[in-house]
Amino acid sequence: MHEILTLQFGHRANHLCTHFWNAQESYFTYPTSSPSEQQQHNDDISPVDHDIHWRAGIGPAGEDTYTPRSLIYDLKGGFGGMRVDGWEQGGEESRARGVESGNEDGVWNGNVSILKAPPVPQSDYQRGLDAGLAVPTRLTVDTVRYWSDYSRVLYHPKSSIQINDYELNSTLLPFERWESGEELFTGMDREVDLLDRDLRGWAEECDALQGIQFVAGADDAWGGFATRYVERVRDEFGKLGIWVWGLEEGKGNGFKAKQMLRTVNAARSIYEISSHASLYMPLAIPSSRLPSYVQLSRGSLWQTSALLSTALESMTLPSRLRPGGGKRGRLDDMEAALNVNGSQRIANVQMSITDPSAPKHKQLVDGRTHDGRMRGSNTNGQLNEDQFLARDASLDMDFFCGEAPATSTNVRAQKPKRVQVFGHVESVRGNLENTGHTGRDQDEEEDEVGYTRKRRRLAALPLIEKYHSRLRFPLLDSFPDIIDEQSKQSQMIDVQASLSTTSRVSGRVKSLQKVVGTMVGVEEREALANGLGEIGEHYEEGWISGSDDDSDD
């Protein structure tokens, strides 16, 4: 079934993944007709293969159910009103009774006083879902405190893992230093093998594991925790595809000292994780003005994570489509198009949102569809390198470490620096007539891909892989009102998202290298700075891997 496991590290990651899982849950179809009638009407069948991200099981009342293939790590207090032991009845009560009776390993036989913090109450939205209301209580920035406040998904009891060593938003012992996360993982893994306890059972129940995706904070202590976890997974699972989405704060958030700490943490994460992961994608809200059709509060994790989740969910959509649901692509297919020379594992994420129901955004240029919000977005036909560069620049949201695209109107006009593209993967969802995609047969396109890749490799041109599906992105009642009114009317939006490996990565890594040279201790400064320098060299213009040289001398 080519399953994918998802590991979520930290409060920011769990906000993003809550939007992701809510979207996956919305793709389930519940037919009212018989199975034979449903088979005759393909429109009633979800284009998404739910077995990729979900597992079948038994619910709390003995009913058949699906739960996400996910592990959720968060600090004490991070789960909000959600029960950490899932639907397992009496879980915490039975553990408390074991301690009170003195049966906990025989360490203490005296009296035990158990102090319990008052539980976090469920949000009104959650109570509305539990009551079966068709339209639960409307969510706002003020009412959303935890990611569980707007979760529409029932998780397996073994999915939730609370870390009690640190408390969410603690000022006495903040979970901010990269080394703190590294030490936390090392200590926990020493006490009990974390992969055996948490991950192995999920992996072994998969028929043909396609890959593991990590979503983690990269510029705080979760970066250190995720690094050591990814390292262990790589040692254990060998060549399995490992995708890591590293979340960072945008530039200008917080005091200068905290910004510098986050920058050093990000440098350590990008250096360490990219050496073990198949792909590493930094994600941050652009520090400058967003497109006019996006309006969000930068201080709300609920809102900022919704925008980032839209890109992540759209970019990975090809990996979970059914035959006929659009052009499918496994994780390793996308990796092959991006990591062209074997050492380019850091990818840039971009996205644009289009709305074909809003004609004011559309105009015809030379008889071809054009979106007025997207500069240079002529997308019919095959793309050569120059057309690709124009199209890549037209995606008006760039999540690469908070940088803004060069076409943004809020950037001072200057001659754009040419960017060398090594590999590019594009995922388009929605009305194919407005994207230049033909929706042809999957096998026919796969045959062309193999030939085209060989030809472009020989010509030293960037590899370009395009995926498309008619499945639009859903705007659920759990999704914040960050998209303009015209798009919200249809409850669905068209999305264009891309991953690319370009020479821009070199500039980002070199800027981190300069910070490391002044902020990191002498003991690790040289290794970290040199390591970042080597990574940057792999993305410099004109760089060619020695492994591609046919000479054996």
Side-chain angles (χ1 to χ4, degrees), residues 143-445:
T143 59
V144 174
R145 298 175 56 202
Y146 305 94
W147 53 267
S148 59
D149 288 344
Y150 55 93
S151 174
R152 302 177 58 89
V153 175
L154 185 67
Y155 294 96
H156 191 276
K158 293 184 179 179
S159 284
S160 304
I161 302 159
Q162 179 172 279
I163 296 177
N164 294 314
D165 300 64
Y166 291 86
E167 190 168 356
L168 183 68
N169 298 327
S170 172
T171 56
L172 296 177
L173 189 62
F175 198 55
E176 295 178 346
R177 294 173 55 252
W178 196 92
E179 297 89 340
S180 299
E182 182 182 33
E183 293 167 0
L184 176 64
F185 178 87
T186 302
M188 293 176 62
D189 197 47
R190 186 185 301 115
E191 294 178 2
V192 55
D193 191 306
L194 287 182
L195 266 63
D196 281 343
R197 188 193 72 178
D198 299 339
L199 180 62
R200 195 174 307 281
W202 293 85
E204 290 178 348
E205 70 180 14
C206 297
D207 293 334
L209 185 59
Q210 177 182 164
I212 300 176
Q213 67 173 353
F214 290 79
V215 185
D219 58 358
D220 57 12
W222 285 111
F225 189 90
T227 295
R228 295 300 159 238
Y229 210 120
V230 170
E231 184 180 20
R232 279 291 316 277
V233 170
R234 174 58 72 201
D235 292 341
E236 186 72 22
F237 291 92
K239 296 183 178 180
L240 181 71
I242 299 175
W243 284 33
V244 181
W245 304 84
L247 307 182
E248 299 183 24
E249 290 284 351
K251 296 178 181 178
N253 290 342
F255 296 106
K256 184 175 181 180
K258 181 169 286 190
Q259 290 182 41
M260 295 301 294
L261 175 61
R262 288 189 176 277
T263 301
V264 172
N265 290 340
R268 288 192 172 103
S269 293
I270 203 169
Y271 167 60
E272 295 262 8
I273 295 179
S274 64
S275 64
H276 301 293
S278 306
L279 281 178
Y280 179 73
M281 286 74 59
L283 278 177
I285 296 294
S287 57
S288 52
R289 190 173 60 196
L290 289 163
S292 59
Y293 60 87
V294 176
Q295 298 179 354
L296 55 76
S297 171
R298 293 177 180 270
S300 169
L301 283 176
W302 173 50
Q303 293 198 355
T304 56
S305 63
L307 189 62
L308 297 177
S309 181
T310 304
L312 184 154
E313 204 275 331
S314 299
M315 199 61 243
T316 58
L317 180 63
S319 66
R320 52 183 170 273
L321 291 176
R322 296 182 188 272
K327 183 178 177 182
R328 292 169 292 147
R330 287 163 49 95
L331 297 183
D332 55 4
D333 295 329
M334 290 184 266
E335 293 167 18
L338 291 166
N339 189 6
V340 178
N341 296 313
S343 300
Q344 295 159 328
R345 304 185 184 94
I346 303 171
N348 177 30
V349 185
Q350 290 185 302
M351 180 182 73
S352 276
I353 297 174
T354 61
D355 181 11
S357 68
K360 76 171 187 177
H361 292 313
K362 297 290 182 180
Q363 54 182 316
L364 290 179
V365 179
D366 298 330
R368 284 177 273 190
T369 304
H370 183 84
D371 188 337
R373 297 178 300 172
M374 298 170 54
R375 188 174 301 177
S377 58
N378 185 348
T379 59
N380 272 9
Q382 297 294 320
L383 299 177
N384 59 34
E385 185 175 9
D386 291 334
Q387 289 172 330
F388 160 75
L389 290 171
R391 178 169 186 166
D392 187 56
S394 73
L395 298 182
D396 48 17
M397 283 179 280
D398 191 331
F399 302 121
F400 187 60
C401 304
E403 294 187 14
T407 58
S408 177
T409 58
N410 59 320
V411 178
R412 186 173 57 186
Q414 57 181 337
K415 184 177 180 180
K417 182 179 180 180
R418 183 173 178 83
V419 175
Q420 179 173 352
V421 179
F422 302 100
H424 177 82
V425 176
E426 181 180 306
S427 176
V428 180
R429 59 193 305 177
N431 190 342
L432 301 186
E433 294 178 358
N434 292 333
T435 64
H437 291 284
T438 61
R440 294 177 299 166
D441 179 75
Q442 174 89 11
D443 294 334
E444 178 184 353
E445 293 201 357

